[in-house]
Amino acid sequence: MGEIEGSYRVLQTPGTRLGAQFNAGISTLEPGQSLSANMATGAKSHGRGLQIRVLGLDDSQEFFDIEPKAFGQALLSEVFQRGNLIESDYFGLEFQNMQMNWVWLEPTKPIIKQVRRPTNTLFRLSVKFFPPDPGQLQEEYTRYLFSLQMKRDLMEGRLTCTENTGALLASHLVQSEIGDYDDMADRDFLRVNKLLPYQDRVLEKILDLHRRHMGQTPAESDFQVLEIARKLEMYGVRFHPAADREGTKINLAVAHMGLQVFQGNTKINTFNWSKIRKLSFKRKRFLIKLHPEVHGPHQDTLEFLMASRDQCKIFWKNCVEHHSFFRLFDQPQPKSKAILFTRGSSFRYSGRTQKQLVEYVRDSGAKRTPYQRCVFLCTCNVVISSTGSAMDSPQLSPFVTKSPLCLSPSFQMSTLSLPGQAPSPLQSPILSEVGSNLCGFDTKCPLLPQRYPTDKAYFIAKEILTTERTYLKDLEVITVWFRSAVIKENAMPEGLMTLLFSNIDPIYEFHRGFLKEIDQRLALWEGRSNAHVKGDYQRIGDVMLRNMSALKEFTSYLQKHDEVLTELEKATKRLKKLETVYKEFELQKVCYLPLNTFLLKPIQRLMHYKLILERLCKHYSPAHRDHDDCKDALKEVADIAAQLQSSLIRLENFQKLTELQRDLIGIENLTTPGREFIREGCLYKLTKKGLQQRMFFLFSDMLLYTSKGVTATNQFKVHGQLPLHGMIVEESENEWSVPHCFTIYSAQRTIVVAASSKVEMGKWIEDLNMAIDMAKKSQEKSNIFLDAGLGDRSSDEVSLEQESEDDMHSSRTSLDKQTHHRANTTMHVCWHRNTSVSMSDHSLAVENQLSGYLLRKFKNSNGWQKLWVVFTNFCLFFYKTHQDDFPLASLPLLGYTVCTPEESDSIHKEYVFKLQFKSHVYFFRAESEYTFERWMEVIKSAASTTGRMSLLIPKVGILQGKR
């Protein structure tokens, strides 16, 4: 393979993950060399250069020839280049100084000025900057190295945690190293490899936990290690001993958010970067100067005493680098004077910032090739070659393989079979961003046997698994992320905390177990485990029946969601602090939908189970062994869904009204009891300035029309409010000579509007007439809605007439610059795509949620990219893997068309569909005929909305037509 910028080299790697009983690592020794030979000459320098020894995160040792006067950056670059580390800025080289303190090698100083005897010093590659979320690490290889750092920290006692958590981390590490549970192999591995200081005490616990990870790939295990570790208080913490003014012994540490103070292993204080004005040191004293508003003008400087000036300076440098890496947008200039830190030193951080690193990896993604690892099994002096033959090789070094098997990281095997045994199937389709080799998706691929079972039932069962993964992540938005936000700010009353979390936590815990059970069953079905030889596991009905029956116990919790949603909304209006936390949380990437949407998910999930089980029952013949269980499971979930159907309709309406309330300026009490949302969308209103774009909202009692203002909050301003009582709607294309035009007569005023198409006009007129009809029959008096009006008719008309096209263009620009998720809510998408959406469209979209891996290709690109894709709320959300906490990007589907590729598209692959809006074209490839049809089905439901009537009336008439 030729060298490609930003790509991984093929490395000679022994692959401890596949069953090797030793700590092997990423080695760059050439075939025929041995480590012992290298180490024998390692202490000697060749010529006048320095030969420096570096310990890898996998405990392998490498030697690097460096010029005598070389700067630290020269050695760092050599290490990163040989290991082909793309996200290298997270890492550094550390060594022990004369005082036996671990110190980072500085890139901008000569090595010989930092290390007294470089050739006798062991440098070790370590993680220097720990991001708060492993999802920020773009490369699977980087996450692998991070997991090795967690492994090192566990063994060294840095990553302190409970014994149960330690055992869980160790179980994932074992899964990543040797694959699926095997009692003898596990015990042998753990006898040779110490992962925990107290490993003997928790050995049985590790084995029990490892048994539950069946089918988990090495990459997934790495991610699980990081997910658990990042939530620990000691994640990435490096202690610097000190004492406070009273002489109490404490430890200082620096992290992504700022400085931390520990007493023992307990964190007692955190000083965020935003609170710190200046950091400095004077001899042994380390000084933190805070902004006056943090602790008042008389307590703005904190002082800590450290053992020596050198230790003060080491910690201060760490602080400088962490602040620059995590807080600055651009790499600081060498001669610039940092505002936060003292002027007494010229020391500056010299690498890329995290923002620059993320952008670099993202922008160079097209140039990368997948990381590849060469693997083999070394047990009892037998080497398994890529052809499967055994060779006696008593003298073979563990770092050498004569016939390596090069695999993508996603192709790691859970176990490697010996000759005579059935081969273990490979894990998942290869990801290629630069070519079109799609092994695992293409049944004609010559490289590998077909991966999946062909039965349609398998793919239906897999849909349960993929959507359950997304559902559990959605629950975590509330149970993990939102809980953390309100606890941190102490923003929610205790009574509401109890109501919310005691209601949703049991549901979350149930579905965690359910997901694991489905995952294990699919692993057996696919043959990812040898357990399938002991029984018939190519079915899902028994799992569904057992869990749908158990789900009945949670009906009372689901019935309380109405109260939870209502009380949360009341408290948000009443408590300013909670409102602030709520709004700030909605701006976080993890909250990719309006927050209260996630509270509806548990009831909506019942509908998904019902629909999927209906498909299974329809697919199976009555004589099929799985039919009866599926039928009984369907009955169980249908009973629960029927009990909650009316509650779901009410909750969806309430959620929509509260969402609109937050995005509309000029209307209060939108959630008035009895009010129902019917349709939202874009129409053009006729004024003296001509046709001007407006956003209309139709409810069961009134019609609102709004404009998009130039505001940082991305909200719509209400300009007119028309009661439905006494309203008349008439087509008026001929009268005004405007296509798709109709007139709305109300007691308050008369307005003329135009739709973007005849179908759109039909939808609006039909829904308006239906709503007017219902308002007539209602006993409620329309005048109760006039109190929230916008003044008299004349002032309203004047304000509208004074608006210009310039206002409209500037408002569009402001929206385009918005990056948070509110730009993806349906009102904003309707505004841009010039379309409308009804409540029945919302309900249909909820029924058609879908998740799974797809291959995506842009119109003019050559390669396909594998992404985890989630369809919900009329939008596709794209993730790198299903473990990611938040989407990388989104694609609102309203206005798009979906079809199969045309001849001119030159797409010669199966199961490909094409998405297009004007000049924007995307191609997506599914793994099977079933998944292709399902994606087409759900996307059609959102892209080309059927325009069915509101849930308030039968679904008939023109609105059933396709757009």
Side-chain angles (χ1 to χ4, degrees):
M1 178 186 292
E3 291 294 317
I4 300 176
E5 183 183 351
S7 68
Y8 290 116
R9 290 190 301 113
V10 179
L11 302 176
Q12 300 290 340
T13 309
T16 59
R17 292 178 161 185
L18 307 186
Q21 302 297 314
F22 48 79
N23 278 329
I26 299 170
S27 171
T28 55
L29 297 176
E30 297 299 324
Q33 288 183 311
S34 70
L35 180 68
S36 55
N38 260 34
M39 293 182 68
T41 58
K44 299 177 183 179
S45 298
H46 296 281
R48 300 182 60 187
L50 301 173
Q51 192 170 67
I52 292 179
R53 191 162 46 116
V54 176
L55 180 72
L57 277 159
D58 50 10
D59 295 334
S60 63
Q61 294 189 23
E62 301 254 358
F63 291 87
F64 296 84
D65 291 320
I66 302 295
E67 291 297 318
K69 295 183 180 179
F71 283 70
Q73 185 60 54
L75 177 58
L76 285 165
S77 298
E78 281 285 318
V79 172
F80 296 152
Q81 184 177 359
R82 190 178 295 183
N84 214 349
L85 253 176
I86 293 179
E87 296 177 285
S88 58
D89 301 80
Y90 288 112
F91 301 86
L93 292 175
E94 57 181 349
F95 62 94
Q96 286 185 301
N97 62 10
M98 298 299 292
Q99 291 75 40
M100 301 306 290
N101 296 316
W102 284 102
V103 182
W104 292 107
L105 181 70
E106 291 182 32
T108 57
K109 286 177 63 176
I111 296 174
I112 55 175
K113 287 192 175 182
Q114 302 180 64
V115 190
R116 181 165 292 185
R117 295 178 179 175
T119 56
N120 295 333
T121 299
L122 177 66
F123 293 82
R124 69 177 189 180
L125 179 69
S126 301
V127 174
K128 189 174 187 178
F129 300 115
F130 292 80
D133 180 2
Q136 294 175 313
L137 304 175
Q138 307 294 305
E139 294 290 316
E140 183 178 307
Y141 180 50
T142 310
R143 290 194 289 271
Y144 168 55
L145 293 181
F146 263 72
S147 74
L148 291 179
Q149 181 69 59
M150 298 304 104
K151 179 181 175 183
R152 179 190 286 175
D153 288 353
L154 271 175
M155 191 54 215
E156 292 181 354
R158 281 180 167 180
L159 189 61
T160 56
C161 55
T162 65
E163 288 191 356
N164 284 341
T165 302
L168 180 59
L169 284 165
S171 69
H172 283 296
L173 289 168
V174 175
Q175 176 74 17
S176 75
E177 293 287 347
I178 66 173
D180 284 350
Y181 174 80
D182 178 275
D183 190 73
M184 185 178 295
D186 277 34
R187 293 181 188 278
D188 288 345
F189 178 81
L190 291 169
R191 186 163 50 248
V192 176
N193 296 276
K194 288 295 180 183
L195 304 178
L196 300 168
Y198 45 84
Q199 185 164 298
D200 291 342
R201 290 203 303 272
V202 295
L203 177 62
E204 295 304 320
K205 183 74 173 175
I206 296 172
L207 297 176
D208 180 56
L209 290 167
H210 182 210
R211 191 182 292 110
R212 305 178 191 181
H213 305 328
M214 186 181 297
Q216 189 170 281
T217 66
E220 290 170 338
S221 299
D222 293 342
F223 197 90
Q224 289 302 320
V225 168
L226 299 183
E227 273 291 293
I228 298 165
R230 74 179 177 93
K231 297 172 185 175
L232 298 176
E233 202 159 67
M234 298 299 291
Y235 167 70
V237 169
R238 300 294 180 260
F239 279 160
H240 296 261
D244 61 16
R245 285 181 174 176
E246 286 74 37
T248 305
K249 291 184 178 180
I250 52 99
N251 287 303
L252 299 178
V254 60
H256 65 95
M257 85 292 281
L259 269 65
Q260 302 172 325
V261 183
F262 287 81
Q263 198 160 22
N265 288 331
T266 304
K267 184 163 59 178
I268 59 175
N269 212 339
T270 299
F271 300 102
N272 290 336
W273 296 122
S274 58
K275 298 178 181 178
I276 299 173
R277 185 157 61 93
K278 182 180 180 182
L279 291 176
S280 60
F281 66 96
K282 294 180 180 178
R283 297 185 178 88
K284 297 181 181 182
R285 291 182 299 142
F286 187 82
L287 306 172
I288 305 174
K289 185 163 284 191
L290 303 171
H291 289 290
E293 63 268 21
V294 177
H295 279 284
H298 305 294
Q299 294 181 326
D300 66 338
T301 303
L302 302 174
E303 184 178 308
F304 300 93
L305 191 67
M306 304 187 85
S308 66
R309 180 185 181 278
D310 283 347
Q311 288 193 20
C312 260
K313 190 171 185 179
I314 289 168
F315 183 56
W316 175 80
K317 286 180 176 179
N318 283 349
C319 294
V320 172
E321 294 188 308
H322 273 76
H323 174 265
S324 299
F325 183 76
F326 286 110
R327 292 280 287 183
L328 300 187
F329 289 149
D330 299 310
Q331 181 177 340
Q333 297 300 316
K335 295 182 180 180
S336 64
K337 296 180 179 178
I339 297 173
L340 185 64
F341 304 106
T342 178
R343 298 178 182 178
S345 172
S346 60
F347 177 78
R348 297 289 180 269
Y349 172 64
S350 60
R352 290 176 293 200
T353 66
Q354 188 186 33
K355 180 178 182 294
Q356 289 176 315
L357 178 58
V358 169
E359 289 175 350
Y360 166 76
V361 176
R362 184 185 65 225
D363 295 343
S364 64
K367 301 176 185 177
R368 290 200 312 273
T369 59
Y371 156 62
Q372 294 184 316
R373 182 172 305 167
C374 299
V375 298
F376 76 103
L377 181 68
C378 181
T379 307
C380 304
N381 295 326
V382 175
V383 176
I384 305 302
S385 74
S386 58
T387 60
S389 58
M391 299 171 290
D392 291 329
S393 186
Q395 304 301 320
L396 190 61
S397 163
F399 288 86
V400 183
T401 173
K402 294 182 179 179
S403 186
L405 173 64
C406 297
L407 301 179
S408 160
S410 58
F411 267 87
Q412 301 297 337
M413 303 181 197
S414 55
T415 57
L416 191 60
S417 308
L418 293 171
Q421 292 182 339
S424 295
L426 301 182
Q427 295 291 326
S428 60
I430 192 168
L431 163 58
S432 175
E433 297 182 9
V434 294
S436 58
N437 178 16
L438 305 172
C439 302
F441 272 37
D442 194 342
T443 56
K444 298 176 183 177
C445 175
L447 299 181
L448 297 166
Q450 186 170 330
R451 173 191 170 212
Y452 291 126
T454 55
D455 186 5
K456 181 179 177 181
Y458 163 78
F459 292 104
I460 300 176
K462 190 173 181 182
E463 184 181 332
I464 301 173
L465 172 65
T466 57
T467 53
E468 190 73 11
R469 281 175 173 162
T470 295
Y471 171 56
L472 203 66
K473 282 288 184 184
D474 286 344
L475 289 182
E476 286 177 359
V477 173
I478 301 290
T479 60
V480 177
W481 299 96
F482 185 58
R483 187 205 306 264
S484 175
V486 293
I487 289 176
K488 183 180 178 182
E489 300 298 330
N490 192 24
M492 187 179 286
E494 188 175 339
L496 182 57
M497 284 280 289
T498 303
L499 175 65
L500 173 57
F501 294 111
S502 66
N503 192 57
I504 201 166
D505 283 349
I507 295 171
Y508 173 64
E509 288 303 321
F510 168 78
H511 284 282
R512 282 183 66 188
F514 181 33
L515 174 61
K516 186 161 286 188
E517 201 170 339
I518 303 169
D519 199 9
Q520 289 174 350
R521 174 55 58 88
L522 265 292
L524 294 169
W525 200 332
E526 292 170 7
R528 278 187 273 152
S529 164
N530 289 332
H532 69 277
V533 301
K534 300 172 186 175
D536 173 22
Y537 293 106
Q538 294 191 353
R539 55 196 172 94
I540 197 69
D542 58 325
V543 176
M544 295 302 294
L545 177 57
R546 184 164 56 251
N547 284 278
M548 293 306 100
S549 299
L551 199 55
K552 273 188 171 180
E553 298 176 17
F554 297 92
T555 307
S556 60
Y557 292 104
L558 296 170
Q559 288 170 335
K560 280 187 182 178
H561 273 55
D562 203 335
E563 181 186 356
V564 171
L565 208 59
T566 306
E567 291 302 316
L568 180 60
E569 183 63 22
K570 286 180 183 176
T572 307
K573 289 179 179 177
R574 187 176 71 251
L575 304 170
K576 189 69 179 175
K577 192 173 185 181
L578 179 59
E579 182 188 25
T580 302
V581 170
Y582 192 111
K583 288 180 177 178
E584 288 179 352
F585 182 75
E586 279 200 322
L587 298 180
Q588 294 185 22
K589 290 180 179 179
V590 73
C591 190
Y592 68 101
L593 299 170
L595 178 59
N596 55 16
T597 304
F598 294 101
L599 288 169
L600 270 62
K601 297 286 184 180
I603 302 180
Q604 292 169 343
R605 187 64 179 147
L606 296 173
M607 306 301 174
H608 303 157
Y609 295 143
K610 181 172 175 286
L611 291 168
I612 293 172
L613 283 165
E614 284 173 351
R615 282 198 292 276
L616 270 172
C617 290
K618 187 177 179 181
H619 168 68
Y620 286 139
S621 68
H624 193 281
R625 62 188 180 281
D626 206 24
H627 177 270
D628 289 347
D629 282 344
C630 286
K631 188 176 179 181
D632 291 342
L634 174 59
K635 185 179 183 304
E636 294 282 357
V637 76
D639 289 344
I640 311 173
Q643 293 178 48
L644 295 164
Q645 179 63 36
S646 59
S647 178
L648 176 60
I649 293 172
R650 186 171 61 253
L651 284 170
E652 287 179 341
N653 183 67
F654 182 75
Q655 183 277 324
K656 185 61 184 176
L657 292 177
T658 54
E659 178 191 314
L660 293 176
Q661 182 74 75
R662 289 188 172 86
D663 276 349
L664 295 178
I665 299 173
I667 180 74
E668 298 296 331
N669 302 319
L670 200 58
T671 55
T672 298
R675 178 173 291 151
E676 295 184 48
F677 167 75
I678 298 174
R679 180 173 291 278
E680 63 183 337
C682 180
L683 294 170
Y684 287 86
K685 181 175 177 288
L686 191 61
T687 71
K688 289 183 179 178
K689 300 283 187 181
L691 289 171
Q692 295 199 347
Q693 188 180 6
R694 296 288 180 268
M695 190 70 185
F696 280 73
F697 300 91
L698 175 61
F699 303 93
S700 57
D701 60 307
M702 65 175 176
L703 177 69
L704 297 180
Y705 56 94
T706 68
S707 68
K708 188 72 180 66
V710 188
T711 64
T713 54
N714 213 18
Q715 293 169 298
F716 287 82
K717 182 180 179 182
V718 177
H719 283 286
Q721 179 176 336
L722 308 177
L724 297 186
H725 186 72
M727 182 180 285
I728 299 173
V729 181
E730 289 182 354
E731 287 189 42
S732 49
E733 289 184 78
N734 296 335
E735 182 180 350
W736 294 97
S737 299
V738 176
H740 322 310
C741 174
F742 57 99
T743 304
I744 301 171
Y745 302 91
S746 78
Q748 199 174 13
R749 65 178 67 89
T750 298
I751 60 173
V752 179
V753 294
S756 59
S757 68
K758 192 169 186 66
V759 173
E760 275 293 303
M761 180 179 73
K763 292 177 183 179
W764 276 107
I765 292 176
E766 196 81 17
D767 275 5
L768 278 164
N769 284 329
M770 174 272 300
I772 293 166
D773 229 20
M774 291 193 62
K776 274 183 189 176
K777 298 172 184 176
S778 173
Q779 296 179 354
E780 295 177 3
K781 302 298 182 183
S782 62
N783 57 11
I784 65 172
F785 302 115
L786 299 180
D787 296 334
L790 301 170
D792 59 27
R793 172 178 176 171
S794 60
S795 63
D796 182 66
E797 288 298 333
V798 169
S799 69
L800 286 174
E801 288 169 0
Q802 288 175 343
E803 294 172 0
S804 67
E805 288 300 317
D806 291 338
D807 295 328
M808 301 310 298
H809 289 311
S810 60
S811 69
R812 289 187 192 186
T813 304
S814 70
L815 178 59
D816 290 340
K817 291 178 181 177
Q818 289 286 341
T819 57
H820 62 73
H821 72 261
R822 284 218 171 275
N824 277 336
T825 54
T826 50
M827 71 162 64
H828 297 98
V829 179
C830 286
W831 175 264
H832 282 298
R833 305 276 167 81
N834 202 4
T835 188
S836 68
V837 171
S838 71
M839 191 64 204
S840 63
D841 294 327
H842 279 279
S843 298
L844 181 64
V846 164
E847 289 178 5
N848 279 320
Q849 293 195 10
L850 194 59
S851 308
Y853 281 105
L854 289 174
L855 296 171
R856 183 185 68 179
K857 178 183 177 299
F858 298 109
K859 181 180 179 181
N860 297 317
S861 66
N862 294 323
W864 295 80
Q865 182 183 18
K866 180 184 173 191
L867 295 168
W868 177 258
V869 184
V870 173
F871 168 80
T872 186
N873 290 50
F874 302 96
C875 198
L876 294 179
F877 294 92
F878 301 106
Y879 302 74
K880 195 167 185 181
T881 72
H882 71 262
Q883 295 106 327
D884 294 351
D885 288 322
F886 54 83
L888 303 171
S890 61
L891 179 63
L893 294 173
L894 291 173
Y896 268 80
T897 58
V898 60
C899 61
T900 53
E902 300 167 2
E903 191 66 33
S904 58
D905 293 319
S906 298
I907 302 292
H908 305 296
K909 300 289 181 183
E910 291 182 317
Y911 314 137
V912 176
F913 58 90
K914 176 183 178 181
L915 273 176
Q916 183 166 4
F917 175 73
K918 297 181 178 177
S919 61
H920 302 282
V921 178
Y922 305 91
F923 298 99
F924 293 91
R925 189 175 178 207
E927 65 185 353
S928 70
E929 184 179 2
Y930 172 80
T931 49
F932 165 76
E933 289 172 352
R934 283 290 292 137
W935 280 107
M936 287 283 282
E937 178 186 352
V938 300
I939 290 174
K940 280 180 180 177
S941 74
S944 303
T945 53
T946 60
R948 293 183 303 166
M949 296 299 293
S950 164
L951 293 173
L952 302 173
I953 65 167
K955 300 163 185 175
V956 296
I958 187 174
L959 302 185
Q960 286 187 333
K962 298 276 184 182
R963 289 182 56 193

